[in-house]
Amino acid sequence: MVFDLGKAMRKKEEFESARLMDFDFRQRVRATRLLARALGIDEAALVEEVALRDADGLITLLAGRTGRARGEIEAIYAGCLTEARKQLIIERGDPTPNRLG
């Protein structure tokens, strides 16, 4: 039996990609919840929008709903993303891909 390095690397790439996408999604949902709290909006209703809109679309939606400036919403969301990442790293570990050797 011969070790297939190419196959092993593809498997690692698939695993790492899935892991990073999972972390990214969790971060986005967590940041959206934090943003909803900061703006005094129903979290559940806003989190539903995560599946329907990208971050830009979410910011546009919130600017319209709250009457706040788009730049203000962007700044709050950026802070929420940072906080969400910190929380997830504490809970799940750093998402930085593991390097071989």
Side-chain angles (χ1 to χ4, degrees):
M1 181 170 181
V2 177
F3 178 72
D4 186 345
L5 181 59
K7 185 177 180 180
M9 294 303 290
R10 283 188 297 278
K11 184 174 181 178
K12 179 175 175 32
E13 181 181 2
E14 289 172 6
F15 175 79
E16 292 296 331
S17 294
R19 192 175 61 78
L20 291 172
M21 285 187 296
D22 176 69
F23 188 91
D24 184 57
F25 182 74
R26 288 174 187 272
Q27 180 182 0
R28 193 158 169 247
V29 170
R30 177 84 52 107
T32 302
R33 286 189 184 282
L34 293 171
L35 180 61
R37 289 179 198 154
L39 297 175
I41 295 172
D42 179 39
E43 289 179 37
L46 190 57
V47 168
E48 288 177 7
E49 296 292 333
V50 171
L52 304 173
R53 304 170 191 275
D54 61 3
D56 189 53
L58 191 64
I59 290 167
T60 300
L61 174 73
L62 288 172
R65 279 189 186 174
T66 64
R68 295 184 184 209
R70 184 176 165 73
E72 181 184 358
I73 302 289
E74 287 174 338
I76 296 169
Y77 186 64
C80 292
L81 277 171
T82 301
E83 179 60 27
R85 182 175 180 82
K86 287 178 189 176
Q87 290 177 8
L88 286 170
I89 287 174
I90 290 169
E91 292 171 18
R92 304 182 66 81
D94 191 342
T96 305
N98 300 318
R99 304 276 180 211
L100 292 177

